[in-house]
Amino acid sequence: MRALPPEQLPELAAELRAAIVETVSRTGGHIAPSLGVVELTIALHRVFDSPRDKIVFDVGHQCYAHKLLTGRREEFSSLRQYGGLSGFPRRAESPHDQFDTGHASTSISAALGMAKARDLKGEKHEVVAIIGDGAMTGGMAFEALNNAGHEGTHLVVILNDNRMSIAPNVGALSDYLRRMRVSPHYWRFKADIEGFLRRLPGIGEGLSRFAERVKNSLKYLFVPGMLFEELGFTYLGPVDGHDPELLERVLTDARSFHGPVLVHVVTQKGRGYAPAENNPYAFHGPGPFDPETGERLKSNGAATYSEVFAKTLIELAGEDERVVAITAAMPDGTGTEAMARKYPQRFFDVGIAEEHAMTFAAGLAAQGMRPVFAVYSTFLQRATDQFIHDVALPGLPVVVAVDRAGLVGEDGPTHQGVFDLAILRAAPGVVLMSPKDENELRHMLKTALTIDRPAVVRYPRGQSVGVEPDGPPRVLPVGKGEVLREGRDVAIVALGNTVHPALRAAEALAARGIDAAVINARFVKPLDRELILTWARRCGRVLTVEEHAVTGGFGSAVAEAIAAEAGMTLKFLGIPDEFVPAGKPALLRERYGLTPEGIANAVEAMFPERRRQGEQAAAATGNGGHSDKR
Ligand SMILES: Cc1ncc(C[n+]2csc(CCOP(=O)(O)OP(=O)(O)O)c2C)c(N)n1
């Protein structure tokens, strides 16, 4: 491809676009982001020598042209299918995929790490991060810019500015980029300005401090990208991201600079495919569509869980003025855009900033509001500390609506929502629940907004069960499950969207001569211990079912509750379900029995008969203490 004369590049770009549209119209996928960076990807592979030079995509959903250009054309039709090509860069898939991605705002950190490794190993190659203006709103990106500017390590960051996150991009940074885009400058102009300033009498070489300040102020006036310059980057841009020759020139320039360089490239999301150009929002990551017309192939049926959530949220927000909704750049996916339309003052899109969103919600709750942060399970992982430290510890009534909890599908391992319970369950004092259907989701949202403590409702992606609402949303008894089917042989304890399949399984089992009880747990925390224990004892066999990792999930919670009932004696010694107060570690270990004596006592308590015998022996000899305790 490097040998192609420049006049053939538009043809190559058109071929890549045709291949992307053809495949994605069948598989679904991130078409608009990928179409927008076709020329940029060509330029990257002509200027840089991948895989020797490291090209690191952010989020990674814009990598389709990269995949086509790096030996994966034959398999491209298997994109996002089971056993096929990933929709994101995967190290295991190709040496050209330098970093596994799926979540936003990681590329500059990863690229800086690679650049540092290069320097430490005495190697000579380039490292390039490609990050969108949406991903640039994430805290990690700022942390990395801050660190990279300080380190002064050479790396190239390409800011792919298409004005869009999934929805139109938001925030002060987005406004800043917009101002730069409309300025008529481009990167050569910056050099001209600097040269001009240097030639000004009294402002050139050997500047007084005053003159230095004047120069800097003039720079602010004329030179775009000062924000990045102040952070220690050389800023080049803005550059038209659909002009192949210009792109090659600026990227070649960027290579030659010392230290970190930021190239601001302006692209059009969905470029070259009219339906995506006209509606980049809908074509960010659509399902299958008709490639001729762009019409989405719609499946009819029950409302999605997100739609039911959004409708209920509006209803409950109408009853309570304190209810506000927060999204981290997913107004459409989470359904919170309904709130934006109905109550714009009470809706906040904070950008791709889950960490900030959680603590922002905590701040709102601390002042008496009732924030609902709707977030996909996989992206909630980002806000783990903010949930534990800022919401759970002070016990603030933040509602976390965990959408896409469970199996998510074609986006693959970075997007499956199977860790939220394991993460959140450790936090003392929180209420974790999951509805068996959309009707229960309504009640759980009402419950979450009514109880005065941190509450989490997790529900799956896609269509709901299709049940009718049984009256207005109502408060459920916290920590209570329900028995949906009685049985003698085994207790199936199911959570969320596994409850209905469990009921069907029980029917099938009846035909096989197994009488299964089915319990809808509803709450992971507080767990309905009593109910589960009753049925565990009654049946002697328990199967837990959840769309979540078994490690640390709902089943683990049940196991903890019924461990004592199992044939062998099992106890858990560790930190009980509470926040640990301040104190010297030795004292705290005493408190929790994590000392040799504490452990010995815990073990001894597992031998009640021995203890009784010991006590009897002590009584007989007149010795009141434990005879075997040293
Ligand atoms: C931590 C995290 N939160 C949310 C998302 C969902 N998400 C995927 S792409 C995207 C928008 C990215 O916008 P931008 O970086 O500008 O790239 P573009 O799609 O415009 O090329 C969002 C919010 C994500 N991938 N990671």
Side-chain angles (χ1 to χ4, degrees), residues 543-554:
L543 176 78
T544 63
V545 196
E546 64 195 299
E547 235 180 67
H548 184 277
V550 163
T551 307
F554 168 66

Side-chain angles (χ1 to χ4, degrees), residues 23 27 67-68 70-81 83-86 93:
T23 289
T27 62
K67 294 211 175 202
L68 286 164
T70 51
R72 284 168 275 182
R73 186 162 189 155
E74 292 303 309
E75 308 124 274
F76 194 65
S77 60
S78 71
L79 188 74
R80 304 175 81 245
Q81 309 303 297
L85 283 189
S86 167
E93 196 177 285

Side-chain angles (χ1 to χ4, degrees), residues 461-505:
R461 176 187 179 199
Q463 278 180 356
S464 53
V465 176
V467 298
E468 288 300 317
D470 63 349
R474 62 171 188 274
V475 180
L476 298 172
V478 172
K480 292 280 168 233
E482 57 173 356
V483 180
L484 295 178
R485 187 183 202 278
E486 306 218 330
R488 273 171 297 124
D489 301 331
V490 59
I492 305 179
V493 190
L495 181 75
N497 63 335
T498 67
V499 171
H500 284 286
L503 277 170
R504 285 200 293 280

Side-chain angles (χ1 to χ4, degrees), residues 61 102 104 132-135 162 164-166 269 284 352 354 379 382:
H61 60 328
D133 55 312
N162 57 22
M164 298 286 294
S165 193
I166 292 181
K269 202 160 177 168
H284 173 83
I352 306 180
E354 290 81 6
F379 305 136
R382 278 280 163 90

Side-chain angles (χ1 to χ4, degrees), residues 207-241:
L207 295 176
S208 69
R209 287 179 62 169
F210 170 72
E212 178 76 49
R213 278 213 301 278
V214 171
K215 178 191 152 188
N216 281 339
S217 320
L218 287 171
K219 254 177 97 172
Y220 270 107
L221 260 184
F222 291 114
V223 179
M226 276 311 290
L227 171 69
F228 302 107
E229 292 265 334
E230 293 285 0
L231 284 169
F233 277 72
T234 300
Y235 171 91
L236 304 178
V239 186
D240 177 355

